Amino acid sequence: MSKHFKIFISALLVFIFMFGIGTAAFAQDESDQPTESTLSVISANVAGLPIPSFLDDEGKVVPQTQKILGQLLNESGVDIVCVQEDFQYHTILSNQMTNYPYKNFTYGGVPVGDGVNIFSKYPIYNVEHIAWEEFNGILEDANDGLTPKGFVKCTVDYNGILIDLYNIHADANGADDDISAKRAQYEQLGKYIDENSGDRPVLITGDTNVYLHSQIKTGLYNEIICRGFKDAWTEFYNDGTYYPNGVTYQQDQELRAKFGPHEWGVWDSVERLIYRGNSSVEFEVTGFRYDNYNEKAGQPVTDHCIMVCELKVTSTDYVRPDINLDVDIRRALKNRLAYGAKMVVRCLGLIFGDLLIKIFS
């Protein structure tokens, strides 16, 4: 082998070696680059209470409205649909949701179930239904205690990223006892997230029954936002400006001049999305609106507008946590019957106790 040929071979090997190192380094640099994608969420109070049309203020025929809502939600194109007040007619609603292969098993209608359910285009795991420990109202004040209202929690596998999703339905109305109940509920929710979600990314959505700008005593700000969460409407429309002490009269007038005289289903309304990323997953609100499905349906189908939120999800050096992922399984019939009987007895006991209080007070 000639001297020149040896030099050529040596140079070629050095080049191949250096090229391999450079390619590996480039690949490593590429893998460290942030990845971006879009996730969309709907929160919808579907008003699925078993109320006859002649007793409904708008004359809604609820089995019919649930079919219409299911069709509209199914055609929305949104990734995850979270519903509240999905009670007696869940099967009708769910049968329309053919674009959503992943869903939890409902806990039933009034007075057995909580009415909060999830439909998703991404796999969901570790589904848990948690009832509020405190509430207000049995035969009045929106009758919140007649069902085990609370929240459903699951872990969503979003393109390999595990996100904990909470769909909640808080106490209604604004009397002092209702506000006290909401404060206890948000305290319960905050503690549950601390204990069960760790540092995973978290989305909270649902019917919060709170205007964040004006109902500061409900605890939504102090118990949730102060835990490092952000509110989608506030970030997208109000420049991330929160009101830890509520709004002054002047601030209230400025908000109404900017967004409209009434909050209900228009701005900073009760259907909302609250989010928290972590060191490797970041959420950014890229779209937020309240849709009037009554207008879409051409008739009253729900009590208030439906929230639609779009998020940009950016992940950097994401390491998937090593946790068990259990698929939601329908409970055995005997377990469902036992649970149903327990909830009926609970409801009757609350009604009887409330009647006694009213009789002797």
Side-chain angles (χ1 to χ4, degrees):
M1 184 180 294
S2 69
K3 178 180 179 181
H4 294 294
F5 186 70
K6 288 180 180 180
I7 293 173
F8 171 76
I9 292 297
S10 299
L12 180 62
L13 290 173
V14 168
F15 173 78
I16 292 172
F17 178 71
M18 294 301 294
F19 178 77
I21 292 177
T23 302
F26 178 77
Q28 181 66 35
D29 288 343
E30 283 289 300
S31 67
D32 290 342
Q33 295 302 308
T35 60
E36 296 181 356
S37 53
T38 300
L39 176 65
S40 52
V41 180
I42 273 179
S43 177
N45 185 317
V46 297
L49 290 164
I51 299 176
S53 58
F54 66 88
L55 293 177
D56 187 88
D57 293 339
E58 297 175 309
K60 292 192 293 289
V61 180
V62 183
Q64 181 183 25
T65 65
Q66 300 311 286
K67 182 175 182 178
I68 294 171
L69 279 169
Q71 292 169 347
L72 290 172
L73 292 170
N74 189 57
E75 295 165 1
S76 68
V78 172
D79 296 318
I80 300 174
V81 176
C82 294
V83 297
Q84 308 86 42
E85 290 192 12
D86 178 23
F87 287 114
Q88 259 71 6
Y89 308 103
H90 170 79
T91 301
I92 296 175
L93 179 79
S94 182
N95 284 346
Q96 316 309 312
M97 305 284 283
T98 55
N99 291 329
Y100 295 86
Y102 305 101
K103 58 195 74 173
N104 65 279
F105 287 102
T106 182
Y107 264 37
V110 177
V112 176
D114 52 20
V116 284
N117 293 305
I118 297 170
F119 301 87
S120 176
K121 293 183 178 181
Y122 295 96
I124 62 174
Y125 302 97
N126 301 349
V127 175
E128 297 180 67
H129 290 257
I130 308 296
W132 299 128
E133 295 168 357
E134 295 188 32
F135 51 84
N136 179 59
I138 305 299
L139 297 177
E140 55 190 2
D141 295 329
N143 316 108
D144 289 289
L146 292 183
T147 67
K149 283 175 69 172
F151 57 89
V152 59
K153 174 258 181 184
C154 72
T155 297
V156 181
D157 187 341
Y158 172 67
N159 296 326
I161 299 173
L162 299 184
I163 300 171
D164 279 4
L165 172 67
Y166 291 80
N167 177 21
I168 76 172
H169 193 185
D171 219 79
N173 290 0
D176 289 344
D177 288 341
D178 295 311
I179 291 173
S180 178
K182 290 176 194 180
R183 188 163 56 247
Q185 290 167 3
Y186 286 119
E187 181 180 359
Q188 178 186 344
L189 176 63
K191 289 180 178 178
Y192 187 92
I193 291 172
D194 288 345
E195 294 170 1
N196 293 274
S197 288
D199 65 349
R200 288 191 294 279
V202 172
L203 301 178
I204 304 169
T205 192
D207 188 344
T208 66
N209 272 313
V210 170
Y211 301 127
L212 190 57
H213 71 283
S214 61
Q215 295 179 323
I216 197 66
K217 292 182 179 180
T218 58
L220 180 57
Y221 181 85
N222 291 327
E223 297 295 340
I224 304 299
I225 302 301
C226 287
R227 275 182 159 84
F229 284 85
K230 295 181 178 180
D231 174 72
W233 181 89
T234 304
E235 296 294 325
F236 193 72
Y237 283 110
N238 206 37
D239 300 321
T241 301
Y242 296 84
Y243 306 95
N245 301 309
V247 291
T248 64
Y249 176 79
Q250 182 178 348
Q251 288 171 326
D252 183 68
Q253 294 305 300
E254 290 171 354
L255 287 169
R256 295 181 188 283
K258 183 177 181 180
F259 299 115
H262 304 292
E263 305 101 318
W264 184 254
V266 179
W267 59 274
D268 190 27
S269 195
V270 295
E271 294 278 1
R272 57 196 329 122
L273 184 134
I274 299 168
Y275 60 94
R276 181 196 74 189
N278 62 14
S279 59
S280 58
V281 178
E282 180 182 351
F283 297 117
E284 179 185 348
V285 184
T286 56
F288 189 98
R289 67 182 186 272
Y290 290 107
D291 278 352
N292 190 332
Y293 271 44
N294 291 342
E295 290 183 355
K296 287 188 176 185
Q299 61 175 294
V301 292
T302 188
D303 295 334
H304 45 93
C305 289
I306 286 167
M307 182 219 76
V308 185
C309 183
E310 297 169 356
L311 297 163
K312 181 172 75 173
V313 184
T314 304
S315 62
T316 307
D317 299 332
Y318 177 74
V319 178
R320 187 179 171 102
D322 184 18
I323 60 173
N324 291 329
L325 296 176
D326 298 321
V327 177
D328 195 27
I329 299 175
R330 187 177 179 86
R331 296 167 297 164
L333 178 60
K334 65 177 183 179
N335 293 337
R336 282 181 279 140
L337 290 174
Y339 177 80
K342 178 182 175 181
M343 291 299 103
V344 169
V345 170
R346 167 195 175 272
C347 182
L348 292 174
L350 289 171
I351 291 172
F352 183 70
D354 201 45
L355 284 172
L356 288 178
I357 291 172
K358 288 177 169 53
I359 290 171
F360 292 106
S361 63

